[in-house]
Amino acid sequence: MSNQALLEVRDLLVSFGGFVAIDHVNLTVQSGEIRCIIGPNGAGKTTLLDAICGKTPATQGSIFFKGLRIDSESEFKRTRMGMGRKFQTPSVYDDLTVYQNIQISVPKGQSMLSAIFNSDDQFNQEILEVAQTTNLVNMLDVQAGTLSHGQKQWLEIAMLLIQHPQLLLLDEPVAGMSLKERDQTVDLIQRISAIQAIVVIEHDMDFVKKLSGNVTVLHQGAILCEGLIEQIQADPRVREVYLGD
Ligand SMILES: Nc1ncnc2c1ncn2[C@@H]1O[C@H](COP(=O)(O)OP(=O)(O)O)[C@@H](O)[C@H]1O
Ligand SMILES: [Mg+2]
């Protein structure tokens, strides 16, 4: 099954008391892929990630992760299977150092993880590597509360990476970042995509362009089109609902 998709969403429907937020969506993400999801406010982007990670139940349809059907599994189980979700607002522990924030993100007593970290040295090394990857290696002793907003976003990614996910779901990770931090985030995402697939929601077209992944456009809960950014930007339907306004 070498060509099995990492994530497969089939005919997904999510309705909130009759309001259809996700309308028969199909989405396939391969290992190593960077997938950007764009669309106007209220298009259903966050709800789609919520349904994938198990925060919101699917009303209809199915979701497969690593070939296993997961749409009835808990959010916790999906995390343990290798999904990492980053929400729109970063949530780090302000009073703890960067190091401690990463350290406490390793769930205790999970056989999978205790196998990965079989000594304190190795554990420490892992934290250093993750901090390196997320541009935080010089900030390890700094209290998280004093980080810039952008650095907090990176710390949250670090807290996910230490759990060795195979799929990262990032909801607007560059919101509130400076231009330089955005570019550094492009590099960060491209670096880690060798190991984990990434689904990223973003509004900033320039950022999406630089990421150069596949792009899915959501509109009113449904997929309007999919392709490379050049194709997306040339699509008159996209211009009408999104880029034009
Ligand atoms: N828990 C909820 N209950 C009712 N409606 C919701 C809920 N969550 C989202 N919605 C609605 O679903 C639509 C999609 O929202 P959302 O996924 O947050 O959009 P996006 O992230 O693309 O801006 C919006 O109209 C929003 O008001
Ligand atoms: Mg959203």
Side-chain angles (χ1 to χ4, degrees):
M1 299 271 278
S2 57
N3 57 0
Q4 180 188 72
L6 181 67
L7 174 74
E8 198 171 339
V9 173
R10 286 189 200 157
D11 204 26
L12 180 70
L13 192 132
V14 176
S15 112
F16 296 113
F19 172 77
V20 176
I22 295 295
D23 193 3
H24 299 283
V25 161
N26 290 286
L27 181 76
T28 303
V29 178
Q30 308 290 346
S31 299
E33 183 174 345
I34 299 174
R35 173 70 60 105
C36 296
I37 300 188
I38 65 170
N41 265 331
K45 303 177 300 293
T46 296
T47 305
L48 178 59
L49 289 200
D50 286 347
I52 293 170
C53 79
K55 188 169 177 269
T56 296
T59 309
Q60 268 178 53
S62 49
I63 305 172
F64 294 83
F65 182 53
K66 299 192 283 186
L68 299 171
R69 186 162 177 182
I70 56 154
D71 44 271
S72 301
E73 303 291 357
S74 66
E75 193 173 1
F76 176 70
K77 173 81 186 290
R78 295 185 211 189
T79 303
R80 283 191 62 165
M81 285 178 73
M83 273 191 192
R85 167 75 188 274
K86 189 193 165 317
F87 291 92
Q88 249 164 289
T89 322
S91 57
V92 301
Y93 297 95
D94 282 348
D95 295 339
L96 299 182
T97 65
V98 167
Y99 185 96
Q100 288 166 332
N101 267 281
I102 301 174
Q103 187 180 34
I104 56 155
S105 303
V106 176
K108 295 285 178 291
Q110 286 187 16
S111 53
M112 183 179 77
L113 287 156
S114 39
I116 295 168
F117 307 116
N118 50 26
S119 74
D120 283 354
D121 271 1
Q122 201 183 344
F123 181 57
N124 194 40
Q125 186 58 32
E126 276 278 335
I127 292 180
L128 290 181
E129 279 172 24
V130 163
Q132 193 100 47
T133 304
T134 52
N135 313 316
L136 292 170
V137 78
N138 296 321
M139 313 294 281
L140 282 168
D141 296 329
V142 168
Q143 280 209 329
T146 68
L147 296 176
S148 73
H149 185 75
Q151 289 170 324
K152 283 186 186 173
Q153 303 267 31
W154 291 336
L155 176 54
E156 221 187 356
I157 294 175
M159 291 160 75
L160 293 172
L161 290 180
I162 197 74
Q163 300 175 43
H164 293 262
Q166 283 155 278
L167 176 66
L168 272 185
L169 307 166
L170 307 178
D171 200 346
E172 303 196 19
V174 297
M177 282 190 182
S178 68
L179 209 57
K180 185 177 174 216
E181 286 174 331
R182 281 166 193 249
D183 283 345
Q184 287 176 295
T185 306
V186 169
D187 292 342
L188 194 174
I189 291 177
Q190 284 173 338
R191 256 180 286 143
I192 63 179
S193 71
I195 303 165
Q196 41 262 309
I198 294 150
V199 176
V200 52
I201 290 178
E202 196 41 63
H203 275 292
D204 178 11
M205 271 299 154
D206 191 45
F207 175 81
V208 171
K209 221 175 194 166
K210 284 178 179 161
L211 266 183
S212 72
N214 297 312
V215 182
T216 297
V217 184
L218 263 188
H219 177 52
Q220 295 177 348
I223 291 183
L224 187 69
C225 63
E226 265 179 354
L228 297 172
I229 188 69
E230 294 75 17
Q231 299 166 287
I232 298 295
Q233 286 184 310
D235 191 315
R237 294 168 304 169
V238 178
R239 302 189 77 89
E240 196 174 317
V241 305
Y242 185 58
L243 301 168
D245 64 9

